Amino acid sequence: MDQAQARAWLATAVEEARRGLAEGGIPIGAALYGADGTLLGRGHNRRVQDDDPSMHAETAAFRDAGRQRTYRGTTMVTTLSPCWYCSGLVRQFGISRVVVGEAETFHGGHDWLAEHGVEIVVLDDPECVTLMKEFIAARPELWNEDIGE
């Protein structure tokens, strides 16, 4: 995948992450793009806002996209390496590619996805790293409630 396109799409996920943080939630954002580059859905982690532990950013973007005839050729863009739950969503529905903003603060299931034929693009985006590091430092109890060690 073209790096410039991946970074442009990541900007949508970063907007969502910032929106989630502004709402008092966890700053993780995601977007689902169609094979033709159309934005199908976007969302952010709403675990805190909705009191719903299953409302991860990728789940929110997936739900926002609504039913699709097929997910072949689609790209899930996320500010943070997807956890096992979200990695399972990618595999279950046959999403073809995952663009990861960063995997420094959390190394999720993207290696497993790659082993199963999903194209993975890790951008090591400094803005995504800073956003998560600052959040983890400020709210470790909230981070550790879900993803932390």
Side-chain angles (χ1 to χ4, degrees):
M1 172 174 207
D2 175 76
Q3 290 286 309
Q5 183 67 68
R7 289 193 181 280
W9 288 357
L10 180 63
T12 304
V14 170
E15 283 177 25
E16 287 294 327
R18 292 199 177 283
R19 183 174 294 145
L21 183 61
E23 294 172 357
I26 300 168
I28 304 170
L32 184 65
Y33 282 88
D36 64 356
T38 301
L39 177 61
L40 301 173
R42 59 190 294 162
H44 52 275
N45 185 299
R46 297 193 50 83
R47 182 169 56 86
V48 173
Q49 299 92 313
D50 295 351
D51 197 29
D52 180 351
S54 71
M55 190 47 81
H56 290 198
E58 298 88 342
T59 305
F62 182 76
R63 288 179 180 174
D64 187 54
R67 290 175 56 204
Q68 303 294 314
R69 184 169 125 61
T70 182
Y71 294 91
R72 279 192 203 94
T74 62
T75 301
M76 179 66 76
V77 183
T78 180
T79 57
L80 185 65
S81 179
C83 70
W84 289 111
Y85 170 67
C86 295
S87 295
L89 181 144
V90 168
R91 285 284 321 274
Q92 175 68 32
F93 291 96
I95 294 170
S96 298
R97 178 186 304 123
V98 176
V99 173
V100 176
E102 68 103 347
E104 182 179 327
T105 61
F106 178 76
H107 192 102
H110 68 268
D111 291 335
W112 176 75
L113 288 170
E115 290 169 8
H116 290 88
V118 177
E119 180 185 348
I120 302 296
V121 178
V122 179
L123 296 175
D124 295 319
D125 182 78
E127 183 178 10
C128 291
V129 173
T130 299
L131 192 61
M132 285 310 303
K133 282 187 174 181
E134 288 176 356
F135 174 78
I136 292 167
R139 301 292 311 272
E141 76 291 347
L142 190 52
W143 173 251
N144 289 322
E145 182 182 308
D146 187 37
I147 284 184
E149 300 294 315

